[in-house]
Amino acid sequence: MRILTIVLLVGLLSACAGKTVQQAPPVQPEPKPISVPYSTNYPSSPVADYLQPLIYNLSLEPYYDLVNPKRIANSYVFDRQIDETDPRKLVFAYRSKFDDSWAYVTSGIGRVPVANVISFSHPNFGSGYALVLQQFKLCLVTQASSPPMWQRGKWVFPVQPGYFECTGLTNKSIFQIGYGLPGALGPYFGEKDTVLVFKDLGQLQQILVALKIQFPLLQIPEV
């Protein structure tokens, strides 16, 4: 009887040793708002400090589902910032290198615009930072017959306004479907927010400061 018990015990231990132990996937840290120090007490160029970094970010990162940033970077040359008296909108015009078409980039704010910075981590992205802009709309346009003009207190767009890519419905307008962004931000974004993601916090900070200088009404909460 003792021998039988030993045999059974050895068999049981052997069976347990042969099983593959499944390890739980690593737990991703929860997204969280963070404060970013900034100062607006120095001269800032809307083109160098905002427009160029913005186009660079939107055209190189694989998680955005956009074509106009790359088109603007490769096929157009910056022409001018369009003068207007609308303090809530910023418009930059580009002319084509190859034909008579134009491109333009518009940024506009609402009555109570807010900018939040979120630290997050995601399997498809790794660790990163998101700039979540509420009451802020961004449009990138290519293949227009001319840039818009500010006339008699309103914007006048060309007969052929071009191909638009605008924020406003984040999941459907900016990010690759199924990539996991901006869902990795959890509750820290809304469908109508403009969300930009960065690997480098300094690049986010540069755009944030440029926006604050251009749009003084932009609120940047401290955490």
Side-chain angles (χ1 to χ4, degrees), residues 1-15:
M1 182 68 179
R2 182 178 180 184
I3 296 176
L4 179 60
T5 302
I6 294 174
V7 171
L8 291 174
L9 180 61
V10 171
L12 179 62
L13 293 175
S14 299

Side-chain angles (χ1 to χ4, degrees), residues 24-126:
V27 178
Q28 297 291 334
E30 294 292 326
K32 62 179 181 179
I34 62 174
S35 294
V36 176
Y38 68 91
S39 173
T40 58
N41 297 324
Y42 64 88
S44 175
S45 165
V47 175
D49 296 326
Y50 171 66
L51 181 63
Q52 292 175 349
L54 177 70
I55 295 296
Y56 176 82
N57 176 267
L58 293 176
S59 62
L60 291 184
E61 304 297 355
Y63 30 84
Y64 294 113
D65 187 19
L66 298 169
V67 297
N68 276 347
K70 292 181 181 179
R71 287 178 178 173
I72 292 174
N74 297 328
S75 302
Y76 292 85
V77 177
F78 175 74
D79 187 77
R80 67 186 185 275
Q81 180 178 343
I82 298 178
D83 294 329
E84 43 20 57
T85 58
D86 185 351
R88 296 180 181 274
K89 186 160 288 190
L90 185 65
V91 181
F92 300 97
Y94 288 78
R95 53 184 172 80
S96 174
K97 298 177 183 178
F98 308 110
D99 54 32
D100 295 331
S101 69
W102 288 78
Y104 50 95
V105 178
T106 72
S107 303
I109 61 170
R111 293 187 177 275
V112 188
V114 179
N116 289 296
V117 180
I118 310 298
S119 173
F120 71 96
S121 182
H122 190 271
N124 290 335
F125 184 89

Side-chain angles (χ1 to χ4, degrees), residues 64-67 138 140 164-177 191 193:
Y64 294 113
D65 187 19
L66 298 169
V67 297
L138 172 69
L140 300 97
F164 279 69
E165 289 181 331
C166 297
T167 62
L169 291 176
T170 303
N171 281 324
K172 299 178 181 178
S173 300
I174 291 295
F175 292 96
Q176 296 279 1
I177 296 175
E191 282 292 337
D193 295 341

Side-chain angles (χ1 to χ4, degrees), residues 149-170:
M149 296 182 294
W150 180 256
Q151 292 182 345
R152 299 178 182 178
K154 65 179 181 179
W155 287 99
V156 178
F157 290 86
V159 176
Q160 297 178 0
Y163 174 69
F164 279 69
E165 289 181 331
C166 297
T167 62
L169 291 176
T170 303

